[in-house]
Amino acid sequence: MLEELRTLVLFAEEGSIQKVARRLPLTQPAVSRQIQRLEDMLATTLLDRRQKPPRLTQAGLDVLARGRDILASVDALKSFAGSAEPEGALRLGLAHGLSDRDVAGAIANAAALFPNVSLRLKTGWSAELADQFDRGQLDVAIVLRASTGESCEGAIGTERLGIVAGKHSGQAPDLANAAWVLSPAPCDARQRLLAVLGEDARRLSIAAEIQDPAMQMEWVRRGHGLGLMPMRLLRQHLPKGVMLVEVGDLDLSMQVVVMRSPHIHRLTKVADAVAKSIGAALNRSD
């Protein structure tokens, strides 16, 4: 009905179907059909078609006045919805592999811009978060996906993994036959390693499955196996007693992808700010 009301307002301004058709732009029969539809919906005659050009009837003038009020209210509602301060709760899922000080600071700084929003943060593996997002349990999910060489929808950066070993381990290890200290499945970094090693992954020896990154690095330092760690963190601080292993052309990169619900309305501003802040943190460390 809103489009039909707008056509009626234009008719009152222009005084003819022909001029309204040029403004929209539509054909003259299409403009006539819009006004006829409005007459059918309201069960009243809006135009006196005995006159050339047609003129508004008294009912048409009454509908015109009320229609202008309705259209003005709709425009005001759109303005309110687009500019009002975001408020409410935003359910945010963050992949375990991104759960570090830099990303935490980026999220906190972005959230601080919206004092009326309560951020409900949850960490998990990417597959779990994606499933919860699909079931409507999360409004936003920031996950890790295997890099394909092309940027996928929602990508905000790249997380590159490095392989580390205890310094006393000596020569470069055979990755396929070495022991590994990894997070439990379905760890995103672990899945990326298996995908990159391909057939060699069948022989992969898991010496320890440890969730906590600090304990992982301690176990690696003590020589119990190789480990994985984001390169951006290794560049900032290589743990004492741990060295970076040269891997040549081995591609252990993953894309950081933001999944946003289309139904969060004004909270979209918050989601966009969080994504931008995390992307900037990743790029600073890249």
Side-chain angles (χ1 to χ4, degrees), residues 3 7 23 25 35 41 65 70 84 88 91 111 114 121 139 197 208 228-229 234 236 244 249 264 269 283:
E3 289 304 315
T7 299
R23 280 189 62 177
I35 294 179
M41 285 185 279
I70 292 172
R91 301 168 299 172
F114 305 94
L121 181 61
D139 301 311
L197 292 180
L228 295 171
M229 189 173 180
L234 288 172
Q236 295 175 23
L244 182 64
D249 296 332
I264 55 177
K269 293 181 180 180
N283 292 330

PDB file of all heavy atoms in Angstrom, residues 3 7 23 25 35 41 65 70 84 88 91 111 114 121 139 197 208 228-229 234 236 244 249 264 269 283:
ATOM      1  N   GLU A   3       3.551   2.049  -1.725  1.00  0.00           N
ATOM      2  CA  GLU A   3       3.866   2.522  -3.070  1.00  0.00           C
ATOM      3  C   GLU A   3       2.654   3.191  -3.709  1.00  0.00           C
ATOM      4  O   GLU A   3       2.772   4.213  -4.403  1.00  0.00           O
ATOM      5  CB  GLU A   3       4.355   1.356  -3.935  1.00  0.00           C
ATOM      6  CG  GLU A   3       5.739   0.842  -3.556  1.00  0.00           C
ATOM      7  CD  GLU A   3       6.789   1.938  -3.593  1.00  0.00           C
ATOM      8  OE1 GLU A   3       6.795   2.723  -4.572  1.00  0.00           O
ATOM      9  OE2 GLU A   3       7.577   2.033  -2.636  1.00  0.00           O
ATOM     10  N   THR A   7       2.245   7.086  -5.003  1.00  0.00           N
ATOM     11  CA  THR A   7       1.760   7.446  -6.340  1.00  0.00           C
ATOM     12  C   THR A   7       0.620   8.453  -6.247  1.00  0.00           C
ATOM     13  O   THR A   7       0.549   9.410  -7.038  1.00  0.00           O
ATOM     14  CB  THR A   7       1.291   6.180  -7.085  1.00  0.00           C
ATOM     15  OG1 THR A   7       2.399   5.292  -7.227  1.00  0.00           O
ATOM     16  CG2 THR A   7       0.745   6.525  -8.464  1.00  0.00           C
ATOM     17  N   ARG A  23       7.843  10.815 -13.722  1.00  0.00           N
ATOM     18  CA  ARG A  23       8.633  10.969 -12.495  1.00  0.00           C
ATOM     19  C   ARG A  23       9.049   9.638 -11.888  1.00  0.00           C
ATOM     20  O   ARG A  23      10.100   9.533 -11.273  1.00  0.00           O
ATOM     21  CB  ARG A  23       7.845  11.783 -11.459  1.00  0.00           C
ATOM     22  CG  ARG A  23       7.897  13.279 -11.711  1.00  0.00           C
ATOM     23  CD  ARG A  23       7.296  14.054 -10.569  1.00  0.00           C
ATOM     24  NE  ARG A  23       7.997  13.867  -9.301  1.00  0.00           N
ATOM     25  CZ  ARG A  23       7.673  14.499  -8.173  1.00  0.00           C
ATOM     26  NH1 ARG A  23       6.665  15.361  -8.165  1.00  0.00           N
ATOM     27  NH2 ARG A  23       8.352  14.288  -7.064  1.00  0.00           N
ATOM     28  N   PRO A  25      10.128   6.271 -12.913  1.00  0.00           N
ATOM     29  CA  PRO A  25       9.317   6.303 -14.117  1.00  0.00           C
ATOM     30  C   PRO A  25       8.568   4.981 -14.307  1.00  0.00           C
ATOM     31  O   PRO A  25       9.115   3.908 -14.068  1.00  0.00           O
ATOM     32  CB  PRO A  25      10.361   6.468 -15.215  1.00  0.00           C
ATOM     33  CG  PRO A  25      11.569   5.766 -14.676  1.00  0.00           C
ATOM     34  CD  PRO A  25      11.516   5.874 -13.180  1.00  0.00           C
ATOM     35  N   ILE A  35      -3.210   3.337  -8.729  1.00  0.00           N
ATOM     36  CA  ILE A  35      -4.291   4.097  -8.094  1.00  0.00           C
ATOM     37  C   ILE A  35      -5.559   3.250  -7.996  1.00  0.00           C
ATOM     38  O   ILE A  35      -6.277   3.287  -6.987  1.00  0.00           O
ATOM     39  CB  ILE A  35      -4.556   5.399  -8.872  1.00  0.00           C
ATOM     40  CG1 ILE A  35      -3.328   6.314  -8.747  1.00  0.00           C
ATOM     41  CG2 ILE A  35      -5.804   6.101  -8.345  1.00  0.00           C
ATOM     42  CD1 ILE A  35      -3.437   7.633  -9.481  1.00  0.00           C
ATOM     43  N   MET A  41      -8.289  -1.452  -2.424  1.00  0.00           N
ATOM     44  CA  MET A  41      -7.923  -1.750  -1.044  1.00  0.00           C
ATOM     45  C   MET A  41      -8.743  -0.934  -0.054  1.00  0.00           C
ATOM     46  O   MET A  41      -9.104  -1.416   1.020  1.00  0.00           O
ATOM     47  CB  MET A  41      -6.415  -1.489  -0.828  1.00  0.00           C
ATOM     48  CG  MET A  41      -5.500  -2.557  -1.431  1.00  0.00           C
ATOM     49  SD  MET A  41      -3.748  -2.294  -1.041  1.00  0.00           S
ATOM     50  CE  MET A  41      -3.292  -1.060  -2.249  1.00  0.00           C
ATOM     51  N   ALA A  65      -4.498  13.328   2.543  1.00  0.00           N
ATOM     52  CA  ALA A  65      -4.017  13.931   3.792  1.00  0.00           C
ATOM     53  C   ALA A  65      -3.525  12.865   4.765  1.00  0.00           C
ATOM     54  O   ALA A  65      -2.442  12.983   5.357  1.00  0.00           O
ATOM     55  CB  ALA A  65      -5.130  14.765   4.422  1.00  0.00           C
ATOM     56  N   ILE A  70       0.945   9.096   6.952  1.00  0.00           N
ATOM     57  CA  ILE A  70       1.481   7.728   7.044  1.00  0.00           C
ATOM     58  C   ILE A  70       2.882   7.656   6.455  1.00  0.00           C
ATOM     59  O   ILE A  70       3.807   7.082   7.051  1.00  0.00           O
ATOM     60  CB  ILE A  70       0.538   6.743   6.334  1.00  0.00           C
ATOM     61  CG1 ILE A  70      -0.781   6.620   7.107  1.00  0.00           C
ATOM     62  CG2 ILE A  70       1.204   5.368   6.173  1.00  0.00           C
ATOM     63  CD1 ILE A  70      -1.840   5.817   6.385  1.00  0.00           C
ATOM     64  N   ALA A  84      19.540   5.199  15.353  1.00  0.00           N
ATOM     65  CA  ALA A  84      19.458   5.033  16.806  1.00  0.00           C
ATOM     66  C   ALA A  84      20.676   4.286  17.332  1.00  0.00           C
ATOM     67  O   ALA A  84      21.275   3.463  16.652  1.00  0.00           O
ATOM     68  CB  ALA A  84      18.182   4.276  17.170  1.00  0.00           C
ATOM     69  N   GLY A  88      21.314  -3.662  23.498  1.00  0.00           N
ATOM     70  CA  GLY A  88      20.918  -5.056  23.618  1.00  0.00           C
ATOM     71  C   GLY A  88      22.128  -5.948  23.786  1.00  0.00           C
ATOM     72  O   GLY A  88      23.235  -5.490  24.093  1.00  0.00           O
ATOM     73  N   ARG A  91      25.639 -11.768  20.813  1.00  0.00           N
ATOM     74  CA  ARG A  91      26.247 -13.070  21.101  1.00  0.00           C
ATOM     75  C   ARG A  91      27.357 -13.326  20.080  1.00  0.00           C
ATOM     76  O   ARG A  91      27.090 -13.518  18.903  1.00  0.00           O
ATOM     77  CB  ARG A  91      25.190 -14.165  21.048  1.00  0.00           C
ATOM     78  CG  ARG A  91      24.045 -13.967  22.043  1.00  0.00           C
ATOM     79  CD  ARG A  91      22.894 -14.917  21.755  1.00  0.00           C
ATOM     80  NE  ARG A  91      22.337 -14.683  20.433  1.00  0.00           N
ATOM     81  CZ  ARG A  91      21.424 -15.466  19.856  1.00  0.00           C
ATOM     82  NH1 ARG A  91      20.966 -16.533  20.496  1.00  0.00           N
ATOM     83  NH2 ARG A  91      20.965 -15.188  18.642  1.00  0.00           N
ATOM     84  N   ALA A 111      33.951  -2.950  21.405  1.00  0.00           N
ATOM     85  CA  ALA A 111      32.736  -3.018  22.223  1.00  0.00           C
ATOM     86  C   ALA A 111      32.584  -1.776  23.092  1.00  0.00           C
ATOM     87  O   ALA A 111      31.458  -1.347  23.386  1.00  0.00           O
ATOM     88  CB  ALA A 111      32.764  -4.271  23.092  1.00  0.00           C
ATOM     89  N   PHE A 114      30.213   1.136  22.231  1.00  0.00           N
ATOM     90  CA  PHE A 114      28.762   0.972  22.302  1.00  0.00           C
ATOM     91  C   PHE A 114      28.368   0.627  23.741  1.00  0.00           C
ATOM     92  O   PHE A 114      28.168  -0.549  24.075  1.00  0.00           O
ATOM     93  CB  PHE A 114      28.313  -0.125  21.333  1.00  0.00           C
ATOM     94  CG  PHE A 114      28.769   0.099  19.915  1.00  0.00           C
ATOM     95  CD1 PHE A 114      29.944  -0.473  19.453  1.00  0.00           C
ATOM     96  CD2 PHE A 114      28.036   0.914  19.065  1.00  0.00           C
ATOM     97  CE1 PHE A 114      30.375  -0.261  18.150  1.00  0.00           C
ATOM     98  CE2 PHE A 114      28.457   1.139  17.764  1.00  0.00           C
ATOM     99  CZ  PHE A 114      29.634   0.554  17.295  1.00  0.00           C
ATOM    100  N   LEU A 121      30.512 -13.134  24.958  1.00  0.00           N
ATOM    101  CA  LEU A 121      31.590 -13.763  24.204  1.00  0.00           C
ATOM    102  C   LEU A 121      31.707 -15.246  24.550  1.00  0.00           C
ATOM    103  O   LEU A 121      31.657 -15.631  25.719  1.00  0.00           O
ATOM    104  CB  LEU A 121      32.914 -13.053  24.520  1.00  0.00           C
ATOM    105  CG  LEU A 121      34.164 -13.546  23.797  1.00  0.00           C
ATOM    106  CD1 LEU A 121      34.023 -13.393  22.292  1.00  0.00           C
ATOM    107  CD2 LEU A 121      35.389 -12.779  24.303  1.00  0.00           C
ATOM    108  N   ASP A 139      24.982 -14.583  17.203  1.00  0.00           N
ATOM    109  CA  ASP A 139      24.685 -13.511  16.253  1.00  0.00           C
ATOM    110  C   ASP A 139      25.845 -13.299  15.290  1.00  0.00           C
ATOM    111  O   ASP A 139      25.644 -12.954  14.123  1.00  0.00           O
ATOM    112  CB  ASP A 139      24.411 -12.198  17.002  1.00  0.00           C
ATOM    113  CG  ASP A 139      23.253 -12.329  17.971  1.00  0.00           C
ATOM    114  OD1 ASP A 139      22.195 -12.830  17.558  1.00  0.00           O
ATOM    115  OD2 ASP A 139      23.413 -11.937  19.145  1.00  0.00           O
ATOM    116  N   LEU A 197      49.628 -31.926   5.107  1.00  0.00           N
ATOM    117  CA  LEU A 197      50.498 -33.098   5.031  1.00  0.00           C
ATOM    118  C   LEU A 197      49.935 -34.182   4.109  1.00  0.00           C
ATOM    119  O   LEU A 197      50.666 -35.022   3.610  1.00  0.00           O
ATOM    120  CB  LEU A 197      50.718 -33.675   6.427  1.00  0.00           C
ATOM    121  CG  LEU A 197      51.542 -32.807   7.381  1.00  0.00           C
ATOM    122  CD1 LEU A 197      51.685 -33.493   8.729  1.00  0.00           C
ATOM    123  CD2 LEU A 197      52.919 -32.503   6.787  1.00  0.00           C
ATOM    124  N   ALA A 208      51.061 -35.654  22.507  1.00  0.00           N
ATOM    125  CA  ALA A 208      50.253 -35.056  23.573  1.00  0.00           C
ATOM    126  C   ALA A 208      49.147 -34.225  22.964  1.00  0.00           C
ATOM    127  O   ALA A 208      49.338 -33.572  21.932  1.00  0.00           O
ATOM    128  CB  ALA A 208      51.124 -34.186  24.479  1.00  0.00           C
ATOM    129  N   LEU A 228      52.333 -26.118  17.034  1.00  0.00           N
ATOM    130  CA  LEU A 228      51.857 -25.082  16.119  1.00  0.00           C
ATOM    131  C   LEU A 228      51.537 -23.821  16.911  1.00  0.00           C
ATOM    132  O   LEU A 228      50.989 -23.895  18.012  1.00  0.00           O
ATOM    133  CB  LEU A 228      50.601 -25.546  15.376  1.00  0.00           C
ATOM    134  CG  LEU A 228      50.762 -26.731  14.419  1.00  0.00           C
ATOM    135  CD1 LEU A 228      49.393 -27.200  13.940  1.00  0.00           C
ATOM    136  CD2 LEU A 228      51.643 -26.352  13.233  1.00  0.00           C
ATOM    137  N   MET A 229      51.848 -22.667  16.298  1.00  0.00           N
ATOM    138  CA  MET A 229      51.582 -21.396  16.962  1.00  0.00           C
ATOM    139  C   MET A 229      51.419 -20.315  15.892  1.00  0.00           C
ATOM    140  O   MET A 229      52.135 -20.338  14.883  1.00  0.00           O
ATOM    141  CB  MET A 229      52.727 -21.032  17.909  1.00  0.00           C
ATOM    142  CG  MET A 229      52.454 -19.838  18.809  1.00  0.00           C
ATOM    143  SD  MET A 229      53.793 -19.618  20.022  1.00  0.00           S
ATOM    144  CE  MET A 229      53.174 -18.157  20.888  1.00  0.00           C
ATOM    145  N   LEU A 234      54.436 -15.478  17.343  1.00  0.00           N
ATOM    146  CA  LEU A 234      55.850 -15.848  17.381  1.00  0.00           C
ATOM    147  C   LEU A 234      56.745 -14.657  17.080  1.00  0.00           C
ATOM    148  O   LEU A 234      57.836 -14.531  17.643  1.00  0.00           O
ATOM    149  CB  LEU A 234      56.113 -16.973  16.376  1.00  0.00           C
ATOM    150  CG  LEU A 234      55.552 -18.354  16.744  1.00  0.00           C
ATOM    151  CD1 LEU A 234      55.718 -19.316  15.568  1.00  0.00           C
ATOM    152  CD2 LEU A 234      56.238 -18.897  17.981  1.00  0.00           C
ATOM    153  N   GLN A 236      56.136 -11.611  17.854  1.00  0.00           N
ATOM    154  CA  GLN A 236      56.147 -10.744  19.027  1.00  0.00           C
ATOM    155  C   GLN A 236      57.007 -11.324  20.149  1.00  0.00           C
ATOM    156  O   GLN A 236      57.747 -10.609  20.809  1.00  0.00           O
ATOM    157  CB  GLN A 236      54.717 -10.539  19.542  1.00  0.00           C
ATOM    158  CG  GLN A 236      53.810  -9.799  18.589  1.00  0.00           C
ATOM    159  CD  GLN A 236      52.388  -9.741  19.109  1.00  0.00           C
ATOM    160  OE1 GLN A 236      52.137  -9.865  20.303  1.00  0.00           O
ATOM    161  NE2 GLN A 236      51.430  -9.557  18.218  1.00  0.00           N
ATOM    162  N   LEU A 244      61.737 -21.689  15.877  1.00  0.00           N
ATOM    163  CA  LEU A 244      60.848 -21.797  14.728  1.00  0.00           C
ATOM    164  C   LEU A 244      61.466 -22.749  13.713  1.00  0.00           C
ATOM    165  O   LEU A 244      62.652 -22.651  13.387  1.00  0.00           O
ATOM    166  CB  LEU A 244      60.634 -20.418  14.096  1.00  0.00           C
ATOM    167  CG  LEU A 244      59.684 -20.332  12.904  1.00  0.00           C
ATOM    168  CD1 LEU A 244      58.273 -20.709  13.319  1.00  0.00           C
ATOM    169  CD2 LEU A 244      59.708 -18.921  12.320  1.00  0.00           C
ATOM    170  N   ASP A 249      57.940 -24.334   1.449  1.00  0.00           N
ATOM    171  CA  ASP A 249      56.711 -23.880   0.790  1.00  0.00           C
ATOM    172  C   ASP A 249      55.442 -24.396   1.465  1.00  0.00           C
ATOM    173  O   ASP A 249      54.339 -24.213   0.942  1.00  0.00           O
ATOM    174  CB  ASP A 249      56.705 -24.331  -0.679  1.00  0.00           C
ATOM    175  CG  ASP A 249      57.832 -23.689  -1.473  1.00  0.00           C
ATOM    176  OD1 ASP A 249      58.241 -22.570  -1.099  1.00  0.00           O
ATOM    177  OD2 ASP A 249      58.298 -24.300  -2.456  1.00  0.00           O
ATOM    178  N   ILE A 264      20.230  -8.971  13.001  1.00  0.00           N
ATOM    179  CA  ILE A 264      20.630  -8.294  14.247  1.00  0.00           C
ATOM    180  C   ILE A 264      20.389  -6.788  14.198  1.00  0.00           C
ATOM    181  O   ILE A 264      20.697  -6.077  15.160  1.00  0.00           O
ATOM    182  CB  ILE A 264      22.090  -8.592  14.605  1.00  0.00           C
ATOM    183  CG1 ILE A 264      23.036  -8.238  13.445  1.00  0.00           C
ATOM    184  CG2 ILE A 264      22.253 -10.057  14.984  1.00  0.00           C
ATOM    185  CD1 ILE A 264      24.499  -8.444  13.795  1.00  0.00           C
ATOM    186  N   LYS A 269      26.058  -2.629  13.443  1.00  0.00           N
ATOM    187  CA  LYS A 269      27.125  -1.639  13.618  1.00  0.00           C
ATOM    188  C   LYS A 269      28.199  -2.153  14.568  1.00  0.00           C
ATOM    189  O   LYS A 269      29.398  -1.943  14.367  1.00  0.00           O
ATOM    190  CB  LYS A 269      26.549  -0.327  14.160  1.00  0.00           C
ATOM    191  CG  LYS A 269      25.634   0.415  13.202  1.00  0.00           C
ATOM    192  CD  LYS A 269      25.158   1.711  13.837  1.00  0.00           C
ATOM    193  CE  LYS A 269      24.242   2.488  12.906  1.00  0.00           C
ATOM    194  NZ  LYS A 269      23.765   3.755  13.527  1.00  0.00           N
ATOM    195  N   ASN A 283      46.295  -7.431  10.803  1.00  0.00           N
ATOM    196  CA  ASN A 283      47.166  -6.796   9.805  1.00  0.00           C
ATOM    197  C   ASN A 283      48.395  -6.166  10.442  1.00  0.00           C
ATOM    198  O   ASN A 283      49.466  -6.147   9.844  1.00  0.00           O
ATOM    199  CB  ASN A 283      46.384  -5.741   9.024  1.00  0.00           C
ATOM    200  CG  ASN A 283      45.317  -6.356   8.136  1.00  0.00           C
ATOM    201  OD1 ASN A 283      45.474  -7.484   7.664  1.00  0.00           O
ATOM    202  ND2 ASN A 283      44.235  -5.628   7.885  1.00  0.00           N
TER     203      ASN A 283
END
